[in-house]
Structures are given as structure tokens and as C-alpha cells.
Amino acid sequence: MRKSTSGAGDEGRLGEELDTVVAGARRRAFRDGDRQIDTAHLLHTLLESDPRARAAFAGGPPQVARLLGYLAQRAIGYGVQWSGSVEDSGARRRVRPRDLRGIQGVQGVQGVQGVQGVQGVGMSGWSPAAVAAMGAATARARARGALRADGPDLLAALADDPECRAVEVLRRAGIDTELLVAALDGELRQQSTT
């Protein structure tokens, strides 16, 4: 089994599947000519790589296929409006530095130690909303007693930020993000009691 590159010994690390999502989102951002990984990159790669994230959608495979169709149109369709802009939904202000420890690719955010990739206040490489989503995913993992965040943690974190690009795409695809988060929260409660 591959060792996680998220960081050693820190609570709130990413699991292997989210390491894969981050690497895929980085490649997708580069391919799209974007300077930063944003929440739509994370959502797209998460849905392509994590069957548990795909299973969270009440509409099943047809709903996921529609959502992936919207995400694939990013470079030629509505996502063109995002080109050259920074995604900042304001969610980063709700993230605690400890939620970002050990996440490869997010360094120097508000003085956080041991988190690599985003440099200083300008946060080169990650949108502020994507940083917030990663922090919220690790906080969710801790809330259920897990050491590592997984796909459903990240999906819930993305869907719970009403101003991020991922939620814009989810809504365009006809997905009720509040119901999605509630379903994922129910899964969280179920996991923490077992």
C-alpha cells in the first residue's frame, strides 16, 4: 500500500484517496490553464476517483453523469467566466490552522506550520475556498474520530460552502446541496456511533 504524502503524525491528515484527488485536481488546474486549484477542480476529481462520493447523490448514476458533464464543460462553457479570477467564498475565515496541518500543497496559510504548497498570504496554487474545503474535510474527519479525511468528508465540505464554485456547479446540475450535506452528516453521525 502506498504511504500517504499528506504529512506524518498530524491529526486531520488526508487519506490516500484524497491525496489522489489533490494530485488530480492539481493536474486538472494545470491542464485548464488555471493558476490555482479551486473547489470545482476538487469536486471533478473527487467524483471521478471516489465511489463513496458518487454514491452520496440521491439521484444515483444519472445525476452524477449530469454533474460530471457540467464539470467537463468548464473550459468551454460557463467556467470560462472563472478564468483568471481567484475563488474566495469567505469560507477560509472559518478554518482553524490545526485543520490544515499535514495537508500537502497548503503551506504558509496564516502561519500554519507543516502544510506545503500554498505560499504566504497570496496562496499561490490553491484558491482560498479550496483551502477552506480541505480544512473543513479534516475537521469533519476529526469529528467522527478518524485520523484521515476521506471522499465523503471532502464532498460535504465542498457542498457546505454556498459561495464556492463547486456549489455553483452542483446547483446547475440540479442538486440540492443542503440535502446532500444533511445526508453526508447522517453518514457522519452513523460512523461516529459504530
Side-chain angles (χ1 to χ4, degrees):
M1 186 185 315
R2 180 178 72 80
K3 182 181 176 199
S4 174
T5 59
S6 299
D10 285 332
E11 204 177 11
R13 297 177 294 195
L14 302 181
E16 283 186 34
E17 67 251 8
L18 288 191
D19 280 344
T20 301
V21 168
V22 169
R26 185 175 292 117
R27 283 190 302 275
R28 185 172 303 287
F30 178 76
R31 243 188 350 256
D32 290 350
D34 297 326
R35 294 181 308 218
Q36 296 181 328
I37 297 169
D38 66 22
T39 60
H41 294 123
L42 289 170
L43 178 63
H44 195 162
T45 307
L46 178 64
L47 291 176
E48 287 180 335
S49 64
D50 191 320
R52 289 189 327 150
R54 289 189 301 272
F57 291 89
Q63 190 174 46
V64 173
R66 180 177 178 166
L67 178 56
L68 285 168
Y70 276 103
L71 287 161
Q73 292 177 28
R74 174 189 181 122
I76 59 170
Y78 66 89
V80 172
Q81 68 188 345
W82 298 333
S83 182
S85 66
V86 174
E87 175 191 33
D88 186 2
S89 66
R92 185 173 59 110
R93 292 181 280 282
R94 298 187 307 257
V95 175
R96 297 172 299 188
R98 77 179 196 165
D99 294 335
L100 297 173
R101 278 196 304 260
I103 301 174
Q104 182 175 2
V106 186
Q107 177 173 325
V109 180
Q110 309 256 328
V112 177
Q113 299 297 317
V115 191
Q116 304 167 12
V118 173
Q119 308 296 322
V121 177
M123 297 194 314
S124 169
W126 287 75
S127 75
V131 170
M134 299 307 284
T138 61
R140 286 179 62 85
R142 256 196 313 285
R144 64 181 166 82
L147 292 177
R148 296 175 187 238
D150 61 16
D153 292 322
L154 179 56
L155 180 57
L158 291 168
D160 201 30
D161 181 355
E163 301 300 319
C164 76
R165 291 176 180 172
V167 166
E168 184 177 334
V169 178
L170 287 163
R171 287 182 182 146
R172 278 185 187 264
I175 295 164
D176 184 326
T177 57
E178 290 179 13
L179 287 177
L180 178 60
V181 171
L184 290 162
D185 282 344
E187 179 181 311
L188 170 72
R189 282 190 294 281
Q190 184 179 21
Q191 286 178 8
S192 65
T193 60
T194 57

